Each structure stands twice: as structure tokens, then as C-alpha cells.
Amino acid sequence: MAKSDQRRYPVTGFILVGFPEHQDLQSRLLSLFLTVYILIVLGNISMLYMVTTDKRLHVPMYFLVANLAAMDVVLTSSVIPQMLVKLIFNIKVILWGNCFIQMYFFHSISAVKILLLTVMAYDRSVAICNPQHYLSLRRDAFFVKLAGLTWVLGMASFLPPMVLTSIFPFCGPNEVYNSFCELLSVVSLIYTDTISVKFINLILNVIFVILSFLTILWFYIKICKLVKVASSEQRKVSATCIGHLLVLSLFFPSMALYSALFYVSHSLPIIHIASALVYVTLSPLLSPIIYILAAKEIREKVAKLWGKQTLQPLNIHVAHYIDDILIRGPTETMVAEALAALIQYVRDRGWEVNPKEIQRPAQ
């Protein structure tokens, strides 16, 4: 077929060959992807709720954690729902426009996430190494502006390669050797020379991945040097780095694994499914758990939310009249637990309870 004929019949869709043919394996993958996606959405939405509703968490560190939770939901939602639809209905074809939309959000949100992880390292570095400067940055809402900048830069950075790729002719093969649309997989199908797209992609990877990784490493080297001679208060603040370090240890290795396995072989689709699942879901799935375990304030918030949910089944009744509060329950232990929760709730809002005014049941 002549080139002119190929241009006359452009590709209007792509075939995703990353899905296995075996029906039983497809069913298992569907269950796995669906379960993981539900857990990711619930975990990260819960994190957003806790940060936005608790004034104690209205600090730069947790504001950035909330942004991380939001972009994890967007990142996984750009890939997994479409994969679920394809597994349910056994549809392997994705329309040309949908493929490019998926590619754009996958790469741009990944870029935003890398930048945000760098900003989070900077936040901990300034908080530990220069506390006075950190207070002035907090007053100026500096980290709010910085987080907004990461979204703008990340979302804008992958527009050039997306636009450039879209204007190239796609004629002939239209099989994407992946479980979702990804830039290099699609670029390999372009009819003409694609050196410009590959060069832009290389530059963006150097900027976002390598430079961000080196910057994060530099921030933590500064922190480690200071911690050796730091005060007890600075060492206490340095403990807040644990959650961020654990998230980094999940994100960068999973991204490296996905990139490495992409170049191994196109003959084993299950490799691409496994690597895509690890990269897209591992960090978003475990990040909320990590911050709940590593951050004292979030643990306390979870405990309060859990306590609110368990008061009603225990048949605890609270009555309020003018300036008196009556707590009634089936056992004295349950009433004591409810009283302790109520006192903590009042104190969290800046009020105090006079212990002498508390009338306990007669012995």
C-alpha cells in the first residue's frame, strides 16, 4: 500500500493487547482491580475528609498530604475504570480520542505527583532546618501557592508531546502492547519518524524524575546532617518525615519497575498488566495507611471518627438542658468512655471542663 493510501485511512482506535485471553484469569483480574480501586478511592477520600474537617491538620504538611490523596484518586481513575469496563465486556478497542485523554492524564498527574513529593521534602527540610523561616512561610500561605504551581506545571508539561503525537499519522498497526494507553506504547505505532516526541519525552523524564529524585535526596541529606546535632524538638519534628519516606520508597521503585519491564518484551502481556498494576495502584493504595500509622494527629482523628460511629450501637444517650449534660448508658464503663470522649471533644475546641462539676454515679 502506498503512503498516500495509508494516510487516507487513518487509525481511529487502538487495540489493547495487554489483557489475557483466558476467561478465568480475566475474572480474577477484574475482582483484583475492582477491590484495589475501591480501597484506593475510600482510603484517599477519607484522608481528604480528615484533613479538611480537622483544624489541627490545617498545616502545610497535611495540606500537601491531602493534595497527594487527591492526585492519587485522579491517577488511578484515569486508568482503572476503563480497564474494568474492558474486562467486564471483553472489549479491547479504545477510541483514538479516549486513548489520548487517558495518556494525558496518566502522564501529567504522574508529573504532578513527582513535583508534589519534592515539595513535601522541601516542607520537611525547612520545618526542621529553619523553623523560624518555616513559620513565616506558613503565614504567607507559601506552600498553598507552591502546591498550586505543581498542579499547573505538571498538567502543562505533557501537553507538547501529546499535541505533537496527535498530529503524526497513525496508519497500519494499531495494537498497543499495554493494558492502557501510554505515550511510548502509542508512539511506536506512528507511521513516520518520531525522534522529536521521544526527545521531548526524554527531557521531561530527566526534569521530573531524575532532577526531582536528586532534589529530594539533597533535602534529606540536609535533614540527616542536622539531626545529628539537633535539639530534642527538632528531632521530634524529624519523625514526621517517616510517612513521606515510606511513600517515596513505594513510588520511585514501582515507577522504575514499570519503566524497566516495558522494555523487556512485548510477547508477555501479563508482564505489562502486573507492572501497570504495581505502578498505578501500589503507592495510592498504601499511602493513606502509611500516614494513618505514621502521623499522630491523623491517628487521633481516625480514633475520634471510629468512636463516633461506635457510640450509638452501645446505647449511649446524651441529654442537654441549659448548662447541664446527662450521659446515660447500660454500664458504668461505657458511660465513663463516653464522658472521656466528650471531654476530649470539648478540649479540642479550646474549652475546658471543671472536674469538680462532674457528678459521677453514687458508689
Side-chain angles (χ1 to χ4, degrees), residues 338-358:
L339 176 61
L342 179 61
I343 292 174
Q344 186 61 47
Y345 177 84
V346 170
R347 285 176 177 170
D348 288 343
R349 278 145 184 81
W351 301 330
E352 286 297 330
V353 177
N354 187 353
K356 296 179 181 180
E357 298 296 329
I358 299 175

Side-chain angles (χ1 to χ4, degrees), residues 247-312:
V247 171
L248 289 173
S249 68
L250 292 174
F251 177 73
F252 279 105
S254 63
M255 180 173 59
L257 176 67
Y258 174 74
S259 301
L261 289 178
F262 177 81
Y263 293 101
V264 171
S265 174
H266 287 317
S267 61
L268 297 175
I270 192 65
I271 290 181
H272 302 293
I273 292 178
S275 61
L277 178 63
V278 169
Y279 174 65
V280 175
T281 64
L282 183 62
S283 175
L285 177 64
L286 297 181
S287 290
I289 301 173
I290 288 172
Y291 278 106
I292 288 173
L293 296 176
K296 178 183 176 182
E297 294 85 355
I298 295 181
R299 285 201 308 271
E300 292 176 350
K301 180 67 175 178
V302 171
K304 289 179 184 178
L305 291 174
W306 182 261
K308 289 179 181 179
Q309 294 298 323
T310 56
L311 279 177
Q312 188 174 353

Side-chain angles (χ1 to χ4, degrees), residues 7-23:
R7 292 176 183 272
R8 206 171 289 144
Y9 302 100
V11 169
T12 58
F14 300 97
I15 300 174
L16 299 173
V17 297
F19 294 102
E21 297 290 344
H22 198 281
Q23 186 64 37

Side-chain angles (χ1 to χ4, degrees), residues 134-361:
Y134 186 69
L135 290 176
S136 66
L137 293 178
R138 286 183 59 176
R139 285 193 295 269
D140 295 336
F142 174 76
F143 288 99
V144 176
K145 301 171 185 176
L146 204 56
L149 184 62
T150 63
W151 280 92
V152 172
L153 289 178
M155 299 300 289
S157 61
F158 273 89
L159 277 176
M162 292 298 114
V163 173
L164 189 59
T165 303
S166 67
I167 64 177
F168 277 110
F170 287 88
C171 303
N174 64 340
E175 293 183 342
V176 176
Y177 287 87
N178 212 324
S179 49
F180 58 91
C181 287
E182 188 266 346
L183 184 62
L184 291 179
S185 301
V186 174
V187 166
S188 63
L189 304 178
I190 293 178
Y191 176 66
T192 58
D193 184 26
T194 58
I195 187 67
S196 56
V197 178
K198 293 178 180 178
F199 178 74
I200 294 175
N201 186 62
L202 175 63
I203 295 299
L204 290 173
N205 284 330
V206 170
I207 293 173
F208 284 103
V209 180
I210 298 177
L211 290 184
S212 294
F213 178 78
L214 293 176
T215 304
I216 292 170
L217 186 63
W218 180 67
F219 284 140
Y220 275 106
I221 289 175
K222 286 180 60 179
I223 293 173
C224 290
K225 288 181 178 179
L226 181 70
V227 167
K228 293 180 181 179
V229 294
S231 63
S232 59
E233 185 63 27
Q234 286 176 312
R235 289 182 180 178
K236 183 179 178 181
V237 175
S238 66
T240 60
C241 299
I242 295 174
H244 183 243
L245 285 170
L246 289 174
V247 171
L248 289 173
S249 68
L250 292 174
F251 177 73
F252 279 105
S254 63
M255 180 173 59
L257 176 67
Y258 174 74
S259 301
L261 289 178
F262 177 81
Y263 293 101
V264 171
S265 174
H266 287 317
S267 61
L268 297 175
I270 192 65
I271 290 181
H272 302 293
I273 292 178
S275 61
L277 178 63
V278 169
Y279 174 65
V280 175
T281 64
L282 183 62
S283 175
L285 177 64
L286 297 181
S287 290
I289 301 173
I290 288 172
Y291 278 106
I292 288 173
L293 296 176
K296 178 183 176 182
E297 294 85 355
I298 295 181
R299 285 201 308 271
E300 292 176 350
K301 180 67 175 178
V302 171
K304 289 179 184 178
L305 291 174
W306 182 261
K308 289 179 181 179
Q309 294 298 323
T310 56
L311 279 177
Q312 188 174 353
L314 293 175
N315 293 320
I316 296 295
H317 300 279
V318 180
H320 176 236
Y321 178 72
I322 306 179
D323 59 349
D324 293 326
I325 296 177
L326 173 66
I327 301 177
R328 183 165 57 88
T331 68
E332 187 176 340
T333 301
M334 292 179 181
V335 172
E337 291 176 353
L339 176 61
L342 179 61
I343 292 174
Q344 186 61 47
Y345 177 84
V346 170
R347 285 176 177 170
D348 288 343
R349 278 145 184 81
W351 301 330
E352 286 297 330
V353 177
N354 187 353
K356 296 179 181 180
E357 298 296 329
I358 299 175
Q359 299 179 11
R360 302 181 183 274

